[in-house]
Amino acid sequence: MDLFKKLQIGDTDLGKYQKVGHGYYTFPKLEGEINPIMKFQGNDVLVWSLNNYLGLANHPEVRKADADAAAKYGMAYPMGARMMSGQTVFHEELEQKLADFVGKERGYLLNYGYQGIVSIIDAVLNRNDVIVYDSDSHASILDGCRLHMGKRFVYKHNDMSSLEKQLQHATKFAETTGGGILVITEGVFGMEGDLGNLKGITDLKDRFDFRLLVDDAHGFGTMGKTGAGTGEHFGVQDKVDLYFSTFAKSMAGIGAFVAAETYVIDYLQYTMRSQIFAKSLPMPMVIGALKRLELLKTKPELREKLWNVVNTLQNGLKAKGFDLGVSESPVTPVFFNGNVAMVTNIMKDLRSNYKIFCSAVIYPVIPKGKIMLRIIPTADHTIEHVERTIKAFSEVAEKLANGIYTADEVTAAN
Ligand code: PMP
């Protein structure tokens, strides 16, 4: 049997959807500078999928810092992995500033959040250790857990009695192997916008012996009094042992970091395979991130603008009777009842007729029979964008209720 036979997805479900959906529902091309209004298939659309919470992507100082660093150093410098020939004072400065900001002793840069998380988990644990992780964790956490050669226990999403039960199992197991326990959660859950119960989790530290890793991809820059994240929001940052965030959201860049006590970072520097065997972040990313961090820290008005848009959007949708689930963050899921065919038709109506671009999520990410449209506001969106969206969603909900989106099979997008 040819190994590649299964890669010919032709008339499988995946193949069918790829054929009709590629370039429209999946792999869409949004063109122009990052902005609430971008071009999609030649039309101006209002985009709610920008990964730019604070509007830093196009801030003139950020664009200048990125461009100046690229002009001065190019994209190749520094040359190799951090350990070999990839260390600079700028990398060290950024790490220290990030650590200071999130209240930790030291930080370490990661080239991508995804690889970073996988690699942190891989480096911190050996086969005698045990992972206890939230069932709704991001794929990068799940993939890190898959690398782990020892035992892992999953607790029901944000359910503290389930976590307690799994910690009992984990404790028993770790006693037999002589290992330790790592609990992993997201700070803000990126799909539904609810907050990891960091207060509940850290309270359990009084009764169980474990370390805590928080993936705060969506919380860094958006949550907490100073924007230092979900640990700051709950007042428990000192009990977060490994604080992680990507630069892909509030920092509107690429890369990530982990922050912890000095001895932990010392160890990670010499053991994290994603950083030892991969080239260091290039200078424009690092110098650009320094500028982003400076603005994030010194311009609280950006966070205020973001939250003003978030509150207007979420309150407006709730007032119209929409189900926003359990979001307590800028991530704004809007739930409907429906199936794949319906969500496809809704997306087409939104993108082509209402000229509104947001992402859709279906089973198995959320329960069967539910559709979720995910709106992610930024400080660059306006109240007018919000009003336009609420109006469009109200019309879509009415059409859905009237059976307009019911279709037996997905029709090709044009
Ligand atoms: N963790 C979470 C919760 C995420 O949403 C993402 C996606 N950005 C990542 C990790 C991975 O980060 P990156 O895009 O930097 O690889």
Side-chain angles (χ1 to χ4, degrees):
M1 158 88 87
D2 176 10
L3 175 70
F4 280 6
K5 189 162 175 355
K6 62 178 170 299
L7 312 190
Q8 293 166 6
I9 52 176
D11 53 4
T12 62
D13 278 354
L14 179 60
K16 202 172 81 186
Y17 284 112
Q18 184 202 35
K19 203 163 166 192
V20 294
H22 192 84
Y24 189 88
Y25 305 109
T26 51
F27 297 84
K29 294 188 202 69
L30 287 160
E31 290 162 323
E33 293 189 351
I34 295 179
N35 202 287
I37 305 293
M38 296 178 77
K39 286 263 188 249
F40 176 62
Q41 304 216 327
N43 291 318
D44 281 340
V45 291
L46 170 55
V47 187
W48 291 105
S49 309
L50 292 170
N51 273 341
N52 184 29
Y53 280 122
L54 300 175
L56 290 176
N58 264 330
H59 192 286
E61 288 183 43
V62 166
R63 292 292 295 263
K64 185 172 180 326
D66 291 350
D68 287 353
K72 184 162 181 193
Y73 296 99
M75 290 301 289
Y77 178 78
M79 296 71 73
R82 294 288 296 276
M83 195 188 262
M84 308 299 282
S85 56
Q87 187 81 341
T88 76
V89 289
F90 292 97
H91 287 67
E92 290 174 342
E93 181 187 341
L94 177 58
E95 286 167 345
Q96 199 51 54
K97 286 188 167 156
L98 285 163
D100 292 345
F101 181 54
V102 300
K104 297 288 164 208
E105 282 179 3
R106 287 266 304 285
Y108 198 53
L109 292 178
L110 308 159
N111 291 8
Y112 277 98
Y114 173 89
Q115 292 166 354
I117 279 274
V118 168
S119 205
I120 293 165
I121 296 171
D122 178 49
V124 165
L125 298 146
N126 69 28
R127 64 175 68 234
N128 295 323
D129 299 322
V130 187
I131 301 177
V132 182
Y133 66 101
D134 187 287
S135 60
D136 279 11
S137 293
H138 186 263
S140 53
I141 296 172
L142 301 183
D143 290 356
C145 292
R146 281 161 65 179
L147 266 191
H148 176 49
M149 310 265 261
K151 194 91 175 153
R152 56 185 193 245
F153 296 93
V154 57
Y155 64 94
K156 273 196 217 136
H157 174 53
N158 247 347
D159 179 332
M160 291 303 104
S161 62
S162 173
L163 172 58
E164 191 174 335
K165 205 185 278 163
Q166 298 310 323
L167 277 170
Q168 282 163 2
H169 294 314
T171 304
K172 222 181 254 169
F173 188 84
E175 275 165 11
T176 64
T177 60
I181 301 170
L182 180 68
V183 171
I184 312 176
T185 180
E186 288 181 42
V188 172
F189 283 86
M191 277 298 145
E192 300 201 19
D194 51 336
L195 306 185
N197 184 351
L198 299 191
K199 179 79 179 71
I201 296 172
T202 52
D203 279 351
L204 285 167
K205 281 192 156 190
D206 294 341
R207 293 172 36 222
F208 295 94
D209 188 5
F210 65 88
R211 295 290 188 167
L212 175 62
L213 164 60
V214 174
D215 173 348
D216 211 17
H218 292 268
F220 180 80
T222 66
M223 302 299 300
K225 206 161 140 269
T226 70
T230 316
E232 181 185 51
H233 170 83
F234 283 112
V236 297
Q237 182 70 347
D238 56 330
K239 294 185 179 157
V240 174
D241 301 290
L242 289 156
Y243 180 87
F244 161 95
S245 179
T246 171
F247 295 158
K249 320 281 177 192
S250 282
M251 293 278 276
I254 204 157
F257 75 100
V258 56
E261 284 181 83
T262 298
Y263 76 94
V264 176
I265 298 297
D266 281 344
Y267 179 81
L268 289 177
Q269 281 187 323
Y270 281 87
T271 50
M272 250 193 315
R273 297 172 69 83
S274 70
Q275 299 311 118
I276 294 171
F277 298 106
K279 182 168 164 144
S280 176
L281 273 181
M283 289 310 265
M285 305 303 170
V286 176
I287 290 177
L290 276 164
K291 177 52 79 179
R292 288 161 172 78
L293 181 62
E294 178 198 316
L295 295 177
L296 188 154
K297 288 195 301 190
T298 57
K299 294 199 175 299
E301 61 270 26
L302 295 176
R303 204 163 39 261
E304 278 160 30
K305 264 177 87 184
L306 164 69
W307 276 100
N308 183 36
V309 177
V310 170
N311 290 330
T312 312
L313 176 74
Q314 295 188 351
N315 293 337
L317 285 168
K318 279 183 197 157
K320 294 271 183 197
F322 282 100
D323 173 9
L324 304 190
V326 284
S327 179
E328 291 178 79
S329 72
V331 177
T332 306
V334 187
F335 289 95
F336 301 90
N337 293 321
N339 57 32
V340 180
M342 288 175 192
V343 77
T344 317
N345 290 329
I346 291 173
M347 294 293 277
K348 190 170 175 195
D349 200 16
L350 278 173
R351 288 184 184 182
S352 291
N353 299 325
Y354 291 99
K355 313 260 186 296
I356 291 178
F357 189 103
C358 61
S359 51
V361 181
I362 52 170
Y363 175 83
V365 180
I366 57 170
K368 242 185 188 142
K370 288 269 180 201
I371 295 171
M372 180 180 107
L373 300 182
R374 188 158 158 264
I375 305 177
I376 307 207
T378 72
D380 279 350
H381 285 97
T382 64
I383 300 307
E384 195 202 326
H385 295 146
V386 168
E387 284 165 359
R388 186 176 144 194
T389 302
I390 294 174
K391 185 163 179 289
F393 270 54
S394 301
E395 290 179 20
V396 163
E398 203 176 312
K399 288 188 200 172
L400 183 65
N402 291 333
I404 305 286
Y405 297 120
T406 309
D408 289 339
E409 64 181 49
V410 179
T411 46
N414 47 37

